[in-house]
Amino acid sequence: MTNREELISTLCPTNGEHIYCDKCQTNGKCRVKEKTDKQINYILSPIDESIFLKACPGSGKTEVVAMKAAYEISKWQSNGGIAILSFTNNAADVIHERVSEFMRHEKVSHPHFIGTFDSWLHGFIAHPFLHKIYKYTGKLDSDNDRSYRIIDEKEHSNSNNKNDKSKHFLNNYILDTPFVSKSGKKTNLCVNNVRWEGEWELFNPLSSNSPFISVADYFNNVAFEEFRSDKLWLTVEKINNGIIEKKRKFNKKGFATYNDIEWNSLKLFKEHNDLLVLLSKRFPLIIIDEAQDLSKLQLSILKYLKYQGSEIHFVGDLQQAIYEFKKVDPVLVKNFVKN
């Protein structure tokens, strides 16, 4: 039996004749037979090694991901499961639908997971375990709910509207140092307006082209240098320490941005190796669709899991990264694959 015949016998209820398969009838040909040899070889590739499948737009990569997932799930025997991750709810829904089709309309369930990277990170790492870092005791009305409330990183405080609780509470987390525009205008930033990307970066509410700027670059800005001309004690270290202190207070109260979730997950892995071991056993195989859109922090999270034993499969095209707001750099993905 050839590789293609093996796959057809596993995934196709009509053995490639597409008599009862709605999708195949629409296409007029078997969805397995139309795949390239490279795609077939990937679908049948071993799951005990990490793999990168280069797949450009229009190549049927989403269906290949779905076939790979359905094929492995159909013969899965491990106590853990497969995590199949993408970056939008729509993409995750499409993968889930197609996996179910190839599994003859069986719904994908525990121990496997199909969804976005964020939903997987939040559901299996952040909400169950991040409270361990800052000793977050949970919401006042629920002793058992220690999940984090996500705050948009562009949300601002509004001290003039005390009825707007979603913004007014941010007054407790205003940074000690204001943001000074090139014109000298001062704007208060809250701690949710700061993110970590290898260094602290500040949200610039006055710029649409470059919404974030590193603390180091901001510190050397002419307008800020004028602001601190009589405040020589206000150093980069002082600013960074102030951010860390406010972030700790913010997270300890159960608030976090998406960026906070990611860099705190890394902190969790560093401080609680036992949880990293458990998670790698929970998901011995992680498949990433559109892998070129992984951010530096997300790659670091996967690197920890890879070192602990999880195998990582990347599917995507390194020339097609689109999530610039996450500071996506395909070179980082390329280096991850090489290593």
Side-chain angles (χ1 to χ4, degrees):
M1 180 182 293
T2 66
N3 285 350
R4 199 174 296 270
E5 289 171 340
E6 178 186 348
L7 191 57
I8 289 174
S9 67
T10 302
L11 300 182
C12 181
T14 66
N15 200 28
E17 298 300 326
H18 57 81
I19 299 172
Y20 307 108
C21 177
D22 292 338
K23 284 286 185 180
C24 287
Q25 283 183 332
T26 301
N27 295 340
K29 55 185 176 181
C30 175
R31 292 156 76 187
V32 176
K33 289 181 178 179
E34 70 181 359
K35 297 296 177 283
T36 66
D37 289 341
K38 181 179 179 180
Q39 291 171 332
I40 295 296
N41 290 338
Y42 166 67
I43 296 168
L44 297 177
S45 64
I47 60 173
D48 58 354
E49 61 183 56
S50 294
I51 295 173
F52 171 60
L53 174 67
K54 182 179 180 181
C56 61
S59 64
K61 65 173 181 54
T62 299
E63 192 156 87
V64 170
V65 169
M67 283 186 176
K68 175 64 173 175
Y71 176 75
E72 298 300 343
I73 290 173
S74 68
K75 55 191 185 70
W76 192 258
Q77 295 182 344
S78 172
N79 291 328
I82 305 173
I84 305 99
L85 310 178
S86 193
F87 294 95
T88 66
N89 289 324
N90 182 62
D93 289 343
V94 170
I95 294 174
H96 201 288
E97 177 185 352
R98 294 188 182 182
V99 172
S100 295
E101 288 173 0
F102 290 121
M103 292 177 61
R104 304 172 193 184
H105 296 283
E106 293 183 16
K107 186 177 180 180
V108 178
S109 58
H110 180 84
H112 310 291
F113 176 84
I114 300 177
T116 64
F117 191 100
D118 284 339
S119 62
W120 171 76
L121 186 69
H122 291 207
F124 292 95
I125 303 173
H127 294 313
F129 301 116
L130 282 191
H131 64 88
K132 291 178 175 292
I133 297 180
Y134 297 108
K135 311 302 180 185
Y136 172 45
T137 56
K139 296 179 175 63
L140 294 177
D141 58 348
S142 175
D143 292 336
N144 296 322
D145 185 0
R146 288 183 287 189
S147 59
Y148 276 77
R149 175 184 172 185
I150 303 300
I151 306 298
D152 191 282
E153 64 185 6
K154 296 180 181 180
E155 191 75 74
H156 275 79
S157 65
N158 185 355
S159 58
N160 295 324
N161 186 359
K162 295 184 179 181
N163 293 323
D164 189 349
K165 295 181 180 179
S166 65
K167 292 185 178 181
H168 182 65
F169 87 97
L170 287 174
N171 287 326
N172 297 317
Y173 305 103
I174 294 176
L175 297 182
D176 297 330
T177 307
F179 187 91
V180 184
S181 69
K182 292 181 179 180
S183 64
K185 181 180 179 181
K186 301 181 186 65
T187 303
N188 284 332
L189 293 184
C190 298
V191 73
N192 61 300
N193 303 138
V194 185
R195 69 181 183 184
W196 174 261
E197 292 290 346
E199 60 181 334
W200 290 112
E201 295 186 339
L202 304 173
F203 174 63
N204 181 355
L206 305 177
S207 173
S208 57
N209 295 327
S210 302
F212 277 91
I213 183 173
S214 72
V215 168
D217 289 342
Y218 171 67
F219 185 83
N220 294 318
N221 181 288
V222 174
F224 186 74
E225 287 185 345
E226 292 180 1
F227 168 77
R228 65 178 291 270
S229 60
D230 59 345
K231 307 176 185 65
L232 297 182
W233 52 266
L234 187 54
T235 62
V236 170
E237 183 180 15
K238 184 75 173 179
I239 296 174
N240 286 336
N241 289 340
I243 291 172
I244 293 171
E245 181 181 350
K246 285 289 175 69
K247 275 288 185 183
R248 185 180 294 113
K249 178 181 176 182
F250 185 67
N251 294 152
K252 192 172 183 178
K253 286 293 185 178
F255 301 112
T257 64
Y258 282 103
N259 179 266
D260 292 345
I261 293 293
E262 291 181 354
W263 70 270
N264 274 325
S265 293
L266 289 175
K267 183 177 176 65
L268 181 74
F269 286 168
K270 293 176 183 178
E271 296 180 2
H272 296 274
N273 187 68
D274 55 330
L275 293 178
L276 181 60
V277 172
L278 290 174
L279 190 64
S280 65
K281 291 180 179 178
R282 176 66 181 82
F283 293 107
L285 175 61
I286 301 172
I287 302 174
I288 309 290
D289 183 37
E290 303 287 9
Q292 71 275 2
D293 291 328
L294 286 161
S295 69
K296 182 177 181 178
L297 284 174
Q298 291 168 342
L299 284 168
S300 296
I301 289 168
L302 292 174
K303 186 180 295 184
Y304 269 91
L305 289 167
K306 168 64 181 165
Y307 287 161
Q308 193 57 55
S310 294
E311 299 300 342
I312 313 293
H313 287 194
F314 283 176
V315 180
D317 183 355
L318 298 183
Q319 305 303 314
Q320 298 293 324
I322 61 173
Y323 284 101
E324 293 183 4
F325 68 91
K326 295 196 311 181
K327 297 195 71 174
V328 168
D329 185 353
V331 173
L332 296 177
V333 180
K334 185 177 181 180
N335 290 337
F336 183 98
V337 171
K338 281 184 177 181
N339 294 329

